[in-house]
Amino acid sequence: MNKKEQYAAWYRQSIENPSQFWEARAHDYLSCFQPWQKVCYWDYTTADIRWFEGAKLNVAYHCLDRHLQHDAQKIALIFERDEPGQSEHITYQTLYEKTCQLANALLQLGVRKGDRVCIYLPMIPEAVIAMLAVARIGAIHSVVFGGFSPQALHDRIKDADCKLVITANEGVRGGKVVPLKANVDQALEIPTSVTQVLVIQNTQTKVPMNVLRDLYYHEVVNHQPKHHEPVPLDAEDPLFILYTSGSTGKPKGVLHTQAGYLLYAAFTFDYVFDYQPQDIYWCTADVGWITGHTYLVYGPLSQGATVVLFEGTPQYPTPSRFWQVVEQHRVTTLYTAPTAIRALMGAGDQYVTAHDRSSLRVLGSVGEPINPEAWQWYYQVVGEKRCPILDTWWQTETGGILLAPFLGVAEQRPGCAGLPFFGVVPAIVDVAGNITPPDVAGDLILRQAWPGQMRTVFGDHKRFVQTYFRKHSGCYLSGDEAKQDQQGYVTVRGRADDVMNISGHRIGTAEVESALVAYHCVIEAAVVSMPDALSGEAMAAYVVLRADYIWESDLEKKLMQQVSAVIGKFAKPKKIYCVEVLPKTRSGKIMRRLLRKIANHELSDLGDVSTLANPESVTALIDALQKKNISSEA
Ligand code: WT7
């Protein structure tokens, strides 16, 4: 059977007989301490999803102990520092020992199965070690991206009721210091359930320590035994919580569990990237996002792969940084985001061609639609037309890749995410739930469960049901708009809901709006997205000020700072417009479609505005914009 035939046969089996298909894959990929009794059960009405019930396993054991017999001296992590010329190789043996030491330390500190541990770290080996150690003892990690502000960190710690935080004195990214410990201090100013903070001394800088709460990581970890018996966990015990934005102001704690997630991470990593044991695999995503969880940590480590862990950014100290890392470590597989590709494309080909890229075999893309121009550059310049481009579509909620142009199976089509992975049944439907004709866009839904799917919104199962399973009953709603052609290829256009994708960062309009409204003089705010050549999408914010507000020239800057403080710098709008009133429908809804058109200067075709309660607001808005009384670049 060639690859195409195998794909077709497996795909059919995975849909017609999921139990049989996934049972076979679980035999290939999972080593359980105790076998499962039932392969799968799901009910999309109550959003009750369970895989491999009865099985006992340990994810950290999978990612470490299993490899010690034959591959103890194999490199697990190639750690590349922010500054060039400083890399460190960490074997599976060492990663195992360091993880066991931290697991022992966590137990000594009183962390128990089911407790939540917040990880707020830069891209350093301890981030991986922390995730694995928490998983090893059956606790639940909640990694918070280091770019989040103290307030965003506070909200996430509070929602998950974390007991302990693992952080570093500071991080370094692109030559800039990230004051992680200071952020944690600020996040914990208003009391939470956190009783202890473990601080990694990552740079020379000394930071204030709270004697009642803070402990140096090396002081509690370094003397611990280098062995720890993995705890057998139930297949459906929680593994981690990861917050992601939705269309309401409050981020959702996406909860993933053990066996199904691990199997899906391992199998998709192996199949999609055509993993070979000698590969040097580099995923540039931060561990603070799902790509970092599934394709930097759990997928590759479960397969015993050698993974590059990069602390820095694509353009520091020069736009050659990525290609220099590729050359130096002989990277075979590169998995990165369109926003990085576009930025590097803008810097010029000479930065790429100055470095030997002959080791590259596969190039992946994730996080947002890749525009055909960036696709072509990635394919032609970076990969010298030798390496296929894997445009992978998935979400925090899906746990792993659902759509991709599988090697040897699908055609290479710029901008098209390709075909469904095994067990994945996509459909494109209109508002009424009818499947659209080929090439007609609609809601991208999934009609069958797959093992890597999220299980609930932490602490709010009702929200899980309502967000994902209500609009089209019996199906999972992705929130994306897509179309599918006659051969089944899916092209994802972007979000269909009030979620933006700015440089691959998922941000809810409502989150930014509530950050703006929390500023003393703002009474109302509406945020819309605009296309942007570099960041894919950019944000425009409209704010209505209190009537008694006295104009200050630096208001815009203050509002930008407000968003940085509440969410993080990456969530800053590109433009802020102050307006007297927002256009609203008679039912009181802000007409975002109109605001989007105005922000994009599409004034000649504003569409149907007959449902507006205040049609005069439109002229006022256009006037305000054209007078440019407020607008300017961030
Ligand atoms: C949203 C999920 C997937 C892990 C990283 C982001 C968009 C993601 C693609 C792609 C078009 C994509 C979607 C999706 N997206 N990959 N290949 N083509 N759009 O995870 O933060 O949960 O964001 O990112 O809109 O819904 P996330």
Side-chain angles (χ1 to χ4, degrees):
M1 246 199 295
N2 67 25
K3 263 210 122 172
K4 250 185 196 159
E5 290 159 355
Q6 190 207 31
Y7 170 82
W10 274 19
Y11 186 74
R12 203 175 319 110
Q13 194 201 359
S14 74
I15 304 309
E16 285 166 6
N17 197 339
S19 289
Q20 196 184 37
F21 176 81
W22 288 108
E23 175 139 63
R25 298 294 82 70
H27 280 300
D28 294 344
Y29 288 95
L30 295 183
S31 324
C32 296
F33 302 131
Q34 188 183 297
W36 51 88
Q37 269 128 36
K38 192 170 166 59
V39 175
C40 55
Y41 169 84
W42 73 83
D43 176 345
Y44 270 4
T45 325
T46 54
D48 184 3
I49 303 154
R50 293 177 245 155
W51 287 82
F52 304 107
E53 266 183 303
K56 295 246 184 225
L57 75 166
N58 185 289
V59 170
Y61 168 86
H62 248 267
C63 293
L64 300 168
D65 314 35
R66 286 201 313 159
H67 310 312
L68 297 186
Q69 201 184 347
H70 300 293
D71 284 326
Q73 294 316 312
K74 186 173 175 180
I75 304 299
L77 298 177
I78 299 177
F79 175 43
E80 178 70 27
R81 282 257 180 214
D82 189 48
E83 286 299 329
Q86 305 177 47
S87 48
E88 197 184 313
H89 288 62
I90 299 169
T91 61
Y92 271 95
Q93 179 70 37
T94 306
L95 193 64
Y96 164 80
E97 289 173 2
K98 285 182 182 280
T99 301
C100 288
Q101 285 187 306
L102 178 57
N104 288 323
L106 290 173
L107 287 171
Q108 204 174 61
L109 294 173
V111 180
R112 293 291 172 267
K113 183 181 167 190
D115 286 345
R116 273 78 63 201
V117 174
C118 173
I119 298 175
Y120 185 61
L121 284 175
M123 287 283 281
I124 56 177
E126 286 83 355
V128 179
I129 292 164
M131 289 165 75
L132 293 170
V134 170
R136 193 170 183 94
I137 63 170
I140 304 166
H141 59 70
S142 166
V143 183
V144 177
F145 171 55
F148 275 113
S149 69
Q151 190 174 332
L153 176 62
H154 172 90
D155 296 344
R156 285 157 178 73
I157 286 173
K158 205 162 162 218
D159 189 80
D161 250 321
C162 295
K163 190 167 189 177
L164 181 135
V165 180
I166 305 178
T167 190
N169 61 337
E170 55 186 26
V172 194
R173 262 187 102 233
K176 291 195 195 109
V177 165
V178 188
L180 295 168
K181 172 62 165 57
N183 288 352
V184 172
D185 289 342
Q186 221 180 314
L188 300 182
E189 258 166 29
I190 301 170
T192 64
S193 41
V194 170
T195 52
Q196 280 160 328
V197 177
L198 273 188
V199 184
I200 294 161
Q201 186 72 31
N202 183 45
T203 64
Q204 300 302 319
T205 312
K206 281 260 170 292
V207 292
M209 296 285 279
N210 174 340
V211 284
L212 297 174
R213 189 196 66 194
D214 305 342
L215 295 159
Y216 276 113
Y217 184 97
H218 59 267
E219 285 177 7
V220 290
V221 172
N222 288 3
H223 65 273
Q224 295 289 341
K226 292 178 176 167
H227 175 76
H228 167 266
E229 268 311 301
V231 184
L233 296 164
D234 287 333
E236 286 298 340
D237 278 339
L239 175 62
F240 65 83
I241 300 167
L242 184 58
Y243 286 86
T244 190
S245 298
S247 34
T248 67
K250 195 173 177 277
K252 294 184 278 260
V254 168
L255 185 111
H256 283 285
T257 57
Q258 314 273 333
Y261 172 80
L262 179 65
L263 169 61
Y264 202 75
F267 180 30
T268 51
F269 169 73
D270 189 16
Y271 188 86
V272 176
F273 297 102
D274 182 31
Y275 170 65
Q276 312 289 329
Q278 68 279 10
D279 276 348
I280 305 291
Y281 167 85
W282 183 16
C283 166
T284 69
D286 194 281
V287 286
W289 308 115
I290 191 70
T291 309
H293 282 58
T294 307
Y295 297 111
L296 184 76
V297 181
Y298 293 117
L301 297 183
S302 73
Q303 295 310 98
T306 297
V307 177
V308 177
L309 175 74
F310 178 44
E311 187 182 28
T313 57
Q315 305 226 44
Y316 178 82
T318 74
S320 261
R321 191 68 172 111
F322 265 23
W323 320 118
Q324 179 225 321
V325 172
V326 166
E327 175 176 304
Q328 186 185 344
H329 300 299
R330 306 286 305 155
V331 171
T332 56
T333 314
L334 176 65
Y335 192 31
T336 193
T339 186
I341 299 167
R342 285 191 299 267
L344 294 169
M345 174 171 82
D349 297 1
Q350 69 276 20
Y351 291 104
V352 186
T353 51
H355 294 276
D356 176 14
R357 285 135 21 253
S358 57
S359 57
L360 286 174
R361 191 166 63 78
V362 185
L363 297 172
S365 169
V366 61
E368 54 180 310
I370 178 164
N371 49 307
E373 201 193 354
W375 192 101
Q376 290 294 354
W377 185 79
Y378 201 26
Y379 180 66
Q380 297 188 10
V381 179
V382 175
E384 300 169 302
K385 301 185 195 160
R386 271 186 302 109
C387 313
I389 307 289
L390 291 168
D391 177 1
T392 60
W393 176 85
W394 58 295
Q395 311 177 295
T396 305
E397 294 89 334
T398 71
I401 294 166
L402 297 195
L403 299 171
F406 307 110
L407 303 177
V409 175
E411 283 167 31
Q412 290 275 296
R413 297 189 193 172
C416 173
L419 298 173
F421 192 70
F422 306 110
V424 174
V425 189
I428 316 294
V429 293
D430 62 19
V431 269
N434 300 314
I435 296 192
T436 62
D439 302 314
V440 175
D443 281 336
L444 170 56
I445 59 164
L446 300 154
R447 296 171 7 137
Q448 217 163 285
W450 63 98
Q453 178 167 28
M454 75 185 277
R455 300 296 194 261
T456 192
V457 171
F458 183 75
D460 197 350
H461 193 73
K462 216 160 122 197
R463 190 170 173 201
F464 181 48
V465 178
Q466 267 155 4
T467 313
Y468 302 100
F469 301 98
R470 273 289 173 271
K471 187 168 175 192
H472 301 290
S473 91
C475 299
Y476 167 86
L477 179 73
S478 70
D480 278 358
E481 188 187 84
K483 54 187 186 170
Q484 189 167 27
D485 74 6
Q486 223 127 22
Q487 285 123 41
Y489 284 69
V490 181
T491 300
V492 180
R493 305 217 295 205
R495 297 295 303 196
D497 54 8
D498 293 327
V499 175
M500 298 168 291
N501 194 326
I502 317 270
S503 295
H505 292 150
R506 182 165 156 183
I507 307 165
T509 52
E511 267 174 278
V512 182
E513 286 162 5
S514 54
L516 288 166
V517 172
Y519 194 70
H520 64 91
C521 67
V522 177
I523 49 170
E524 207 173 10
V527 167
V528 295
S529 97
M530 328 180 269
D532 186 272
L534 213 57
S535 52
E537 278 180 67
M539 207 189 296
Y542 295 83
V543 293
V544 180
L545 301 176
R546 292 166 61 112
D548 56 358
Y549 175 72
I550 299 158
W551 179 251
E552 285 168 57
S553 57
D554 60 350
L555 175 67
E556 191 172 348
K557 205 169 127 200
K558 286 186 178 148
L559 292 176
M560 297 282 184
Q561 277 164 1
Q562 167 75 6
V563 178
S564 304
V566 177
I567 308 172
K569 278 201 191 109
F570 64 90
K572 275 199 301 194
K574 187 163 183 193
K575 293 187 178 202
I576 297 182
Y577 301 111
C578 293
V579 295
E580 301 214 332
V581 60
L582 292 169
K584 288 193 185 159
T585 63
R586 283 189 209 102
S587 58
K589 272 195 179 158
I590 297 171
M591 201 185 263
R592 287 166 200 286
R593 169 175 64 74
L594 189 65
L595 292 174
R596 216 172 288 135
K597 293 219 166 193
I598 295 174
N600 289 312
H601 300 279
E602 293 166 26
L603 303 181
S604 56
D605 170 30
L606 291 177
D608 180 16
V609 291
S610 63
T611 55
L612 276 182
N614 53 352
E616 70 288 350
S617 65
V618 180
T619 357
L621 266 173
I622 297 173
D623 274 2
L625 236 93
Q626 284 178 339
K627 276 192 220 131
K628 289 208 178 83
N629 60 347
I630 317 292
S631 118
S632 74
E633 296 284 323

